[in-house]
Amino acid sequence: MTTTVPHPRPKELRDFYEDPSVPVASGAPRSLRQARMLAAALGTARGQTVLDVGCGDGSAAETARPLLAGHRIVGVDWSQDALKRARTRLSYAVRGELTGGGLPFRSASADAVLFSEVIEHLVDPDAALDEIRRVLRPGGHLMLSTPNLAAWYNRGLLLAGVQPVFSEVSLRGIHGRPGTEVVGHLRLYTARALREFVAASGFEVVRLAGAPFHGVPRPLRPLDRLACSRPSLASILLLHAQKT
């Protein structure tokens, strides 16, 4: 008689993101640029509510806080481990998710949503933007950032037959691309695709900018900063849109 040993089940996505070793911060340069865009959008008014959806460890909101003085920043994440760390940096951090039960906020109750390096991790980004649109007031601001599939170095890597940076084929290891960390990216966008996707979700795109990536090797960082002047080539895409 032959005994078959069950093959271990693949790690569930939720288990993956609850792992404390999975990075939940994406670097201060991106956070600062995004915060400056949001501060300019909010103008001189004070007391507005900013939701940092997918706040991770709260480091992005902490970086943005000096530029958003007078506003209420609320961190939102479904990872209990991330929230535990976020609460050391933010006065308000609550559990919520973009699918299933949705965000724990009334419709049209937020003035702005920070959505930083989250959309590339989602199975259903359409439902996520629907939920963000629900909680934003009319004219409310969406500040979204995500890695750029068509970053300047990815174009060269593809020509050489190498898997682009930011793209992943496994949750268990790095295969065929530069880098050492598995971070769980499921979807990637070019500048054009991101614009079209956000506009199709009921937002008016106001501005698209670029930001550098903290993981670029030091000798190449001046080139990476230079590429920010052309968002379609930049490492990170920063998009500002308003609810229509």
Side-chain angles (χ1 to χ4, degrees):
M1 180 177 178
T2 303
T3 302
T4 303
V5 178
H7 194 69
R9 290 182 61 191
K11 183 182 285 189
E12 297 287 342
L13 275 175
R14 283 183 177 271
D15 294 334
F16 176 82
Y17 290 119
E18 286 284 7
D19 186 342
S21 67
V22 174
V24 290
S26 55
R30 189 274 303 153
S31 300
L32 278 171
R33 289 179 184 232
Q34 191 173 35
R36 291 187 186 112
M37 288 174 67
L38 178 54
L42 293 177
T44 57
R46 289 292 180 264
Q48 299 192 64
T49 298
V50 178
L51 306 182
D52 185 0
V53 176
C55 66
D57 64 2
S59 57
E62 184 180 46
T63 300
R65 187 163 49 199
L67 296 171
L68 301 176
H71 300 301
R72 181 173 180 250
I73 304 176
V74 181
V76 187
D77 210 295
W78 60 258
S79 168
Q80 295 288 12
D81 179 75
L83 285 172
K84 188 184 302 182
R85 286 180 275 174
R87 286 173 181 138
T88 67
R89 294 182 167 98
L90 301 175
S91 300
Y92 307 98
V94 299
R95 193 174 191 280
E97 54 186 305
L98 289 160
T99 56
L103 296 171
F105 303 100
R106 298 189 310 275
S107 298
S109 60
D111 299 288
V113 167
L114 282 170
F115 200 42
S116 307
E117 256 78 348
V118 176
I119 199 167
E120 64 272 15
H121 299 274
L122 300 179
V123 173
D124 190 352
D126 302 271
L129 285 196
D130 286 346
E131 181 63 2
I132 287 173
R133 192 172 185 277
R134 180 188 70 79
V135 300
L136 277 172
R137 63 167 173 78
H141 304 280
L142 168 63
M143 294 290 172
L144 184 157
S145 67
T146 191
N148 182 9
L149 175 61
W152 60 277
Y153 40 80
N154 279 346
R155 299 182 185 214
L157 289 173
L158 275 171
L159 284 174
V162 178
Q163 188 81 9
V165 176
F166 309 124
S167 67
E168 296 185 325
V169 299
S170 170
L171 293 180
R172 300 179 182 181
I174 301 296
H175 302 289
R177 71 160 174 85
T180 58
E181 293 180 329
V182 178
V183 292
H185 290 173
L186 303 179
R187 300 182 182 274
L188 288 175
Y189 300 81
T190 63
R192 178 176 178 177
L194 186 64
R195 279 181 176 274
E196 291 184 6
F197 172 61
V198 172
S201 299
F203 293 87
E204 179 183 355
V205 176
V206 177
R207 181 186 174 196
L208 185 69
F213 174 48
H214 66 280
V216 168
R218 189 173 297 277
L220 297 178
R221 289 179 186 175
L223 280 175
D224 197 40
R225 289 192 294 270
L226 183 63
C228 293
S229 62
R230 293 192 61 185
S232 63
L233 296 175
S235 286
I236 306 295
L237 300 171
L238 303 178
L239 182 139
H240 171 206
Q242 285 186 278
K243 176 180 174 179
T244 54

